[in-house]
């Protein structure tokens, strides 16, 4: 027979049995991933350069498939048929892509990175030990998308209705009457910074877990790229989710320079009478 347990050992055993440890049924499915990121990549998570670097790199990487489509458009008729403005000329050239990339990179390096690094250093985001549940992740990301869509609708509407804001901040983005994917961030430094601050502020207002915030920024970048891609693809998200406007919806905004102010969803434009059909 083993030795009898003393009272302190019994208390510790009861506490361990009742607590949701990493091996229990209460452990979130994302806990191993979060433990790895929080432990092995802690310096990156706490880096003041993370928001701007993550935004720029994800934007460029998500644009890569559309660069391939634009390259195929010169030799593949099917790809040309997917273009929304099929009659407005050929897809953008590699030179146009390179020039746009240079403009965006310069503005990030000169303005967005220093400003957001200062904000991140002052913000000092916490790194909680537990990971979010899958349901919490979904709710927080969806809430962030709805909030960002709302505040950007107001900001975008103001930039079009107040002449000083349009000519000094937003006009540069509207030099593209037929946008392509990389154009999503081809804006003035002030507008780029405002977009990133609205996104970070939305995540802060919702109270996101860092994993939820990262997924929100990834979804936000993808939706922006898809909105500006210039293609009405059979598998595009707006075909699967009718509440989204997608590239046809946003291309109307670039063509008319008014209406369709919300970046992703269509409900605010419909409620305020600024909706313009893409038909």
């Amino acid at each position: 027979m083993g030795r009898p347990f003393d009272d302190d050992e019994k208390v510790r055993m009861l506490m361990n049995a009742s607590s949701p440890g990493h091996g229990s049924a209460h452990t979130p499915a994302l806990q191993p991933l979060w433990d790895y990121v929080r432990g092995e990549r802690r310096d990156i998570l706490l880096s003041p350069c993370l928001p701007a670097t993550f935004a720029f790199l994800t934007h460029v990487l998500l644009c890569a498939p559309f660069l391939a489509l634009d390259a195929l458009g010169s030799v593949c008729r099917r790809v040309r048929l997917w273009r929304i403005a099929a009659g407005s000329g050929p897809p953008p050239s590699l030179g146009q892509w390179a020039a746009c990339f240079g403009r965006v990179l310069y503005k990030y390096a000169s303005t967005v990175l220093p400003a957001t690094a200062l904000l991140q250093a002052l913000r000092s985001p916490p790194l909680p030990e537990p990971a979010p549940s899958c349901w919490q992740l979904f709710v927080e990301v969806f809430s962030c998308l709805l909030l960002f869509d709302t505040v950007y609708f107001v900001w975008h509407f103001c930039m079009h209705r107040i002449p000083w804001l349009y000519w000094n901040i937003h006009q540069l983005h509207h030099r593209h009457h037929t946008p392509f994917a990389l154009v999503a961030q081809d804006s003035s430094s002030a507008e780029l910074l405002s977009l990133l601050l609205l996104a970070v502020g939305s995540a802060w207002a919702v109270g996101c877990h860092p994993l939820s915030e990262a997924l929100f920024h990834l979804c936000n970048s993808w939706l922006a790229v898809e909105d500006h891609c210039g293609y009405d693809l059979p598998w595009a998200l707006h075909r699967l989710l009718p509440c989204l406007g997608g590239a046809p919806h946003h291309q109307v905004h670039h063509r008319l320079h008014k209406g369709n102010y919300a970046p992703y969803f269509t409900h605010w434009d419909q409620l305020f009478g600024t909706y313009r059909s893409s038909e």
Side-chain angles (χ1 to χ4, degrees):
M1 294 179 61
R3 68 176 180 84
F5 297 111
D6 58 30
D7 291 341
D8 290 341
E9 286 176 317
K10 290 178 181 179
V11 169
R12 284 197 296 269
M13 290 173 66
L14 288 172
M15 290 179 64
N16 290 336
S18 62
S19 63
H22 287 358
S24 73
H26 300 286
T27 302
L30 298 170
Q31 192 66 52
L33 171 64
W34 177 237
D35 286 341
Y36 169 77
V37 172
R38 193 170 62 93
E40 302 295 327
R41 299 290 181 264
R42 187 181 184 88
D43 291 342
I44 296 176
L45 284 174
L46 295 176
S47 170
C49 300
L50 179 64
T53 304
F54 184 82
F56 178 77
L57 292 179
T58 54
H59 177 67
V60 171
L61 291 173
L62 292 173
C63 286
F66 297 105
L67 173 59
L69 280 179
D70 284 347
L72 286 171
S74 59
V75 295
C76 180
R77 181 174 178 273
R78 174 61 64 86
V79 172
R80 291 197 297 271
L81 290 176
W82 287 338
R83 283 184 58 77
I84 298 171
S88 64
S93 66
L94 185 60
Q96 289 174 287
W97 273 82
C100 185
F101 176 82
R103 290 192 297 268
V104 175
L105 177 60
Y106 171 76
K107 289 165 187 172
Y108 262 89
S110 63
T111 304
V112 179
L113 180 60
T116 54
L118 176 61
L119 174 67
Q120 188 77 346
L122 296 173
R123 181 183 170 210
S124 299
L127 297 180
E129 183 176 348
S133 66
C134 293
W135 175 247
Q136 179 187 349
L137 186 83
F138 170 78
V139 169
E140 288 180 350
V141 171
F142 187 64
S143 299
C144 283
L145 289 172
L146 285 175
L147 180 57
F148 178 83
D149 189 76
T150 300
V151 293
Y152 184 72
F153 170 80
V154 175
W155 174 230
H156 196 188
F157 181 85
C158 290
M159 286 193 292
H160 274 270
R161 294 304 178 95
I162 300 174
W164 188 92
L165 291 177
Y166 181 82
W167 291 110
N168 290 278
I169 296 179
H170 192 51
Q171 185 268 339
L172 286 174
H173 184 64
H174 272 281
R175 72 180 120 191
H176 301 281
H177 298 283
T178 306
F180 55 96
L182 203 56
V183 165
Q185 297 206 15
D186 191 12
S187 305
S188 67
S189 297
E191 184 170 359
L192 274 179
L193 183 59
S194 73
L195 292 176
L196 197 53
L197 291 177
L198 287 178
V200 171
S202 297
W204 175 81
V206 170
C208 280
H209 189 280
L211 273 184
S212 304
E213 183 173 355
L215 182 57
F216 158 62
H217 290 309
L218 183 62
C219 293
N220 198 23
S221 294
W222 171 252
L223 289 169
V225 167
E226 194 177 63
D227 269 5
H228 290 84
C229 71
Y231 291 93
D232 189 4
L233 299 170
W235 56 84
L237 283 176
H238 69 273
R239 292 182 174 273
L240 304 174
L241 301 172
C243 58
L244 295 176
H249 176 81
H250 195 68
Q251 190 131 319
V252 170
H253 173 78
H254 273 263
R255 178 164 51 85
L256 300 178
H257 285 214
K258 63 180 180 180
N260 295 355
Y261 297 112
Y264 310 134
F265 302 101
T266 59
H267 58 277
W268 290 121
D269 284 302
Q270 291 173 343
L271 283 171
F272 285 93
T274 55
Y275 180 82
R276 300 291 182 269
S277 174
S278 59
E279 299 297 330

